[in-house]
Amino acid sequence: MRTTASKWIALAAGLAGLVGATTPASAERLVSSLSNHRVMVTSNFTGDEVVLFGGIEQDANSKPRRGGYDIVATVTGPRQTLVTFRKSRVLGIWINTDSRIFENVPVYLAVLANRPLDDIASPETLQRLQLGLGNFPLPQRASGGGVDTFGDDPFRAAFLKLRIDASLYREVSNGVTFLTPALFRASIPLPATVPVGNYEVDVRLFVDGAPIARTQSALEVYKAGFEQVVSSAARNPGLLYGIMTAMMALATGWFASVVFRRD
């Protein structure tokens, strides 16, 4: 029995050594931050730019990476339900003939990397991690069906094109710059039409095509000034706001009739 127990102990030790030898241990730690965690939107807001900067911390056991590091940052804004229509010509008139409802999709989406994503990781890895506009999930619901996630269909392509043309979706292969082998920065552009709400910044570190570290940050875009007062009043209380707006319109019309009256 002692011989059998010794064999089992030796086998367990061998398996542990094999697992330790085949499982890569990452000695790097990824840290990142934003130049501004809150962006204020006022009446003269024409857009802004938030700088993402970070570094790769190494311990004493870290070995030089022959292929260097790769960074992929994904910025997602508040989620909404959006509709994409397909227009067709019927009897000489262009009308909406079909539609897709994109449910709970980010209104803003930016993917920033230091080089093309296909050069950073394999297509399977990018799809598994949902990195890139082509791999990001955009759940759809047809006009007469249930919720589903379509692949590369015309509605998805049209939706992406509309968001890209509005500068609300983007994928930039040179959006991340390495200042040193372990320090990097990236600019997150926010257009004038950027929606208010909470944003998530997800940063991943890759080495030789494999993700080894990840960090996340938060960003808030909010309204301030007279626009925020009007927006809040329109929602709460809405009835009182409607009555006051109607009274102001009547008063303005009466005042204009008095001033420009011809006797």
Side-chain angles (χ1 to χ4, degrees), residues 166-212:
S167 299
L168 293 174
Y169 276 28
R170 66 183 67 228
E171 181 176 323
V172 186
S173 59
N174 59 348
V176 178
T177 303
F178 274 92
L179 306 176
T180 69
L183 295 177
F184 63 90
R185 73 181 298 275
S187 297
I188 304 174
L190 300 176
T193 56
V194 64
V196 297
N198 296 321
Y199 290 66
E200 297 179 358
V201 182
D202 183 86
V203 185
R204 293 180 182 269
L205 173 64
F206 286 80
V207 171
D208 298 330
I212 63 172

Side-chain angles (χ1 to χ4, degrees), residues 49-225:
E49 184 177 87
V50 177
V51 178
L52 166 70
F53 55 90
I56 304 166
E57 294 184 349
Q58 301 173 329
D59 59 16
N61 297 325
S62 299
K63 297 181 180 180
R65 300 290 187 176
R66 181 178 302 177
Y69 297 105
D70 291 306
I71 294 292
V72 179
T74 303
V75 185
T76 55
R79 294 179 177 268
Q80 294 181 4
T81 296
L82 305 173
V83 183
T84 299
F85 294 96
R86 171 188 286 171
K87 288 187 176 182
S88 301
R89 194 174 186 124
V90 179
L91 299 178
I93 302 176
W94 289 94
I95 61 175
N96 297 327
T97 57
D98 199 359
S99 65
R100 286 287 188 276
I101 301 175
F102 290 82
E103 296 192 333
N104 197 31
V105 296
V107 182
Y108 180 91
L109 174 60
V111 182
L112 312 173
N114 61 301
R115 56 178 179 154
L117 295 179
D118 293 338
D119 296 338
I120 294 178
S122 64
E124 294 76 17
T125 301
L126 296 176
Q127 185 177 11
R128 175 173 56 86
L129 299 178
Q130 300 177 351
L131 295 179
L133 296 184
N135 298 313
F136 198 88
L138 298 174
Q140 301 181 37
R141 177 161 55 90
S143 56
V147 178
D148 195 5
T149 301
F150 294 79
D152 188 15
D153 66 336
F155 281 96
R156 179 187 173 94
F159 177 82
L160 289 175
K161 183 180 184 303
L162 291 173
R163 307 309 290 178
I164 292 174
D165 292 343
S167 299
L168 293 174
Y169 276 28
R170 66 183 67 228
E171 181 176 323
V172 186
S173 59
N174 59 348
V176 178
T177 303
F178 274 92
L179 306 176
T180 69
L183 295 177
F184 63 90
R185 73 181 298 275
S187 297
I188 304 174
L190 300 176
T193 56
V194 64
V196 297
N198 296 321
Y199 290 66
E200 297 179 358
V201 182
D202 183 86
V203 185
R204 293 180 182 269
L205 173 64
F206 286 80
V207 171
D208 298 330
I212 63 172
R214 179 184 183 185
T215 183
Q216 293 178 317
S217 303
L219 172 67
E220 181 186 6
V221 178
Y222 67 99
K223 285 185 179 180

Side-chain angles (χ1 to χ4, degrees), residues 31-52:
V31 293
S32 66
S33 185
L34 299 172
S35 60
N36 188 8
H37 289 271
R38 301 192 73 199
V39 176
M40 183 174 61
V41 177
T42 58
S43 59
N44 58 350
F45 181 78
T46 58
D48 202 349
E49 184 177 87
V50 177
V51 178
L52 166 70

Side-chain angles (χ1 to χ4, degrees), residues 2-15:
R2 181 178 300 176
T3 303
T4 304
S6 300
K7 289 182 179 180
W8 280 109
I9 294 175
L11 180 60
L15 289 175

